[in-house]
Coordinates of all heavy atoms in Angstrom, one line a residue:
A26 N -11.8 -3.9 21.2 CA -12.5 -2.7 21.9 C -13.9 -2.5 21.3 O -14.6 -1.6 21.8 CB -11.6 -1.5 21.7
G27 N -14.3 -3.3 20.3 CA -15.6 -3.2 19.8 C -15.7 -2.3 18.6 O -16.9 -2.0 18.2
F28 N -14.6 -1.9 18.0 CA -14.7 -1.0 16.8 C -14.9 -1.9 15.6 O -14.1 -2.8 15.3 CB -13.4 -0.2 16.7 CG -13.3 0.6 15.4 CD1 -14.2 1.6 15.2 CD2 -12.4 0.4 14.4 CE1 -14.2 2.4 14.1 CE2 -12.3 1.2 13.3 CZ -13.2 2.2 13.1
E29 N -16.0 -1.6 14.9 CA -16.3 -2.4 13.7 C -16.0 -1.7 12.5 O -16.5 -0.5 12.3 CB -17.8 -2.8 13.8 CG -18.2 -3.7 15.0 CD -19.6 -4.1 15.0 OE1 -20.4 -3.8 14.0 OE2 -20.0 -4.9 15.9
A30 N -15.2 -2.3 11.6 CA -14.9 -1.6 10.4 C -14.5 -2.7 9.3 O -14.1 -3.8 9.7 CB -13.7 -0.7 10.6
D31 N -14.6 -2.3 8.1 CA -14.0 -3.1 7.0 C -12.6 -2.5 6.7 O -12.5 -1.3 6.7 CB -14.9 -3.1 5.8 CG -16.2 -3.8 6.0 OD1 -16.2 -4.8 6.7 OD2 -17.3 -3.3 5.5
Y32 N -11.7 -3.3 6.5 CA -10.3 -2.9 6.2 C -9.9 -3.3 4.8 O -10.1 -4.4 4.3 CB -9.3 -3.5 7.2 CG -9.6 -3.0 8.6 CD1 -10.3 -3.9 9.5 CD2 -9.2 -1.8 9.1 CE1 -10.5 -3.5 10.8 CE2 -9.5 -1.4 10.4 CZ -10.1 -2.3 11.2 OH -10.4 -1.9 12.5
V33 N -9.4 -2.3 4.0 CA -8.9 -2.5 2.7 C -7.4 -2.1 2.6 O -7.1 -1.0 3.1 CB -9.7 -1.8 1.6 CG1 -9.8 -0.3 1.9 CG2 -9.2 -2.1 0.2
E34 N -6.6 -3.0 2.2 CA -5.1 -2.7 2.2 C -4.7 -2.0 1.0 O -5.0 -2.3 -0.1 CB -4.3 -4.0 2.4 CG -2.8 -3.8 2.5 CD -2.1 -5.1 2.9 OE1 -2.6 -5.8 3.8 OE2 -1.1 -5.4 2.3
G35 N -3.8 -1.0 1.2 CA -3.2 -0.2 0.1 C -1.8 -0.5 0.0 O -1.1 -0.9 0.9
D36 N -1.3 -0.4 -1.3 CA 0.1 -0.7 -1.6 C 0.9 0.6 -1.4 O 0.6 1.6 -2.0 CB 0.2 -1.2 -3.1 CG -0.5 -2.5 -3.3 OD1 -0.6 -3.2 -2.4 OD2 -0.9 -2.7 -4.5
I37 N 2.0 0.5 -0.6 CA 2.9 1.6 -0.4 C 4.2 1.1 0.1 O 4.3 0.1 0.8 CB 2.2 2.6 0.7 CG1 2.9 3.9 0.7 CG2 2.2 1.9 2.0 CD1 2.1 5.0 1.5
G38 N 5.3 1.8 -0.3 CA 6.6 1.5 0.3 C 7.6 1.0 -0.6 O 7.5 1.1 -1.9
W39 N 8.7 0.5 0.0 CA 9.9 0.2 -0.7 C 9.7 -0.9 -1.8 O 10.3 -0.8 -2.9 CB 11.0 -0.2 0.3 CG 12.3 -0.1 -0.3 CD1 13.2 -1.1 -0.6 CD2 13.1 1.1 -0.6 NE1 14.4 -0.7 -1.1 CE2 14.3 0.7 -1.1 CE3 12.8 2.4 -0.5 CZ2 15.3 1.6 -1.5 CZ3 13.7 3.4 -0.8 CH2 15.0 3.0 -1.4
E40 N 9.0 -1.9 -1.5 CA 8.8 -3.0 -2.5 C 8.2 -2.4 -3.8 O 8.5 -2.9 -4.9 CB 8.0 -4.1 -1.9 CG 8.6 -4.8 -0.8 CD 10.0 -5.4 -1.2 OE1 10.1 -6.0 -2.3 OE2 11.0 -5.2 -0.5
F41 N 7.3 -1.5 -3.7 CA 6.6 -0.9 -4.9 C 7.5 0.0 -5.6 O 7.4 0.2 -6.8 CB 5.3 -0.3 -4.5 CG 4.3 -1.3 -3.9 CD1 4.2 -1.5 -2.5 CD2 3.6 -2.2 -4.6 CE1 3.4 -2.4 -1.9 CE2 2.8 -3.2 -4.1 CZ 2.7 -3.3 -2.7
W42 N 8.4 0.7 -4.9 CA 9.5 1.4 -5.6 C 10.3 0.5 -6.4 O 10.6 0.8 -7.6 CB 10.3 2.2 -4.5 CG 11.6 2.6 -5.1 CD1 12.9 2.1 -4.8 CD2 11.9 3.7 -6.1 NE1 13.8 2.7 -5.5 CE2 13.3 3.7 -6.3 CE3 11.0 4.6 -6.7 CZ2 13.8 4.6 -7.2 CZ3 11.6 5.5 -7.6 CH2 13.0 5.5 -7.8
K43 N 10.8 -0.6 -5.8 CA 11.7 -1.5 -6.5 C 11.0 -2.1 -7.7 O 11.6 -2.3 -8.8 CB 12.2 -2.6 -5.6 CG 13.1 -2.0 -4.5 CD 13.9 -3.2 -3.8 CE 13.0 -4.2 -3.1 NZ 13.7 -5.2 -2.4
K44 N 9.7 -2.5 -7.6 CA 9.0 -3.2 -8.7 C 8.4 -2.3 -9.7 O 8.4 -2.6 -10.9 CB 7.9 -4.1 -8.1 CG 8.4 -5.3 -7.2 CD 7.3 -6.2 -6.8 CE 6.3 -5.5 -6.0 NZ 5.2 -6.4 -5.5
E45 N 7.9 -1.1 -9.3 CA 7.2 -0.3 -10.1 C 7.8 1.1 -10.4 O 7.3 1.9 -11.2 CB 5.7 -0.1 -9.6 CG 5.0 -1.4 -9.4 CD 3.6 -1.2 -8.8 OE1 3.1 -0.1 -8.9 OE2 3.1 -2.2 -8.2
G46 N 8.8 1.4 -9.6 CA 9.3 2.8 -9.7 C 8.5 3.8 -9.0 O 8.7 5.0 -9.3
N47 N 7.5 3.4 -8.2 CA 6.6 4.3 -7.5 C 6.2 3.8 -6.2 O 5.5 2.8 -6.1 CB 5.4 4.6 -8.4 CG 4.5 5.6 -7.8 OD1 4.7 6.2 -6.7 ND2 3.3 5.9 -8.5
P48 N 6.7 4.4 -5.1 CA 6.4 3.8 -3.7 C 5.0 4.2 -3.3 O 4.5 3.8 -2.3 CB 7.4 4.5 -2.8 CG 7.8 5.8 -3.5 CD 7.7 5.5 -5.0
L49 N 4.3 5.1 -4.1 CA 2.9 5.5 -3.7 C 2.1 5.4 -5.0 O 1.8 6.4 -5.7 CB 2.9 7.0 -3.2 CG 1.6 7.6 -2.8 CD1 0.9 6.7 -1.8 CD2 1.8 9.0 -2.4
P50 N 1.7 4.2 -5.3 CA 0.9 4.0 -6.6 C -0.4 4.8 -6.6 O -1.0 5.0 -5.6 CB 0.7 2.5 -6.6 CG 1.7 1.9 -5.7 CD 1.9 2.9 -4.6
D51 N -0.8 5.1 -7.8 CA -2.1 5.9 -8.0 C -3.3 5.1 -7.4 O -4.2 5.7 -6.9 CB -2.4 6.2 -9.4 CG -1.4 7.2 -10.0 OD1 -0.8 7.9 -9.2 OD2 -1.3 7.3 -11.2
R52 N -3.2 3.8 -7.4 CA -4.4 3.0 -6.9 C -4.5 3.2 -5.4 O -5.6 3.2 -4.8 CB -4.2 1.5 -7.2 CG -2.9 0.9 -6.7 CD -2.7 -0.5 -7.2 NE -1.5 -1.1 -6.7 CZ -0.3 -1.0 -7.3 NH1 -0.2 -0.3 -8.4 NH2 0.8 -1.6 -6.9

């Protein structure tokens, strides 16, 4: 559609709960 943006991925969800004990890391 012509939308120009840079995308940066954030960590969230079940895998981070299992590995880190926090599904919503501070980063």
Side-chain angles (χ1 to χ4, degrees):
F28 178 61
E29 296 184 0
D31 292 321
Y32 297 100
V33 55
E34 185 170 312
D36 297 333
I37 194 168
W39 199 252
E40 292 304 313
F41 299 96
W42 161 254
K43 293 195 298 183
K44 292 187 296 185
E45 302 178 22
N47 184 0
L49 180 58
D51 289 344
R52 58 187 178 274

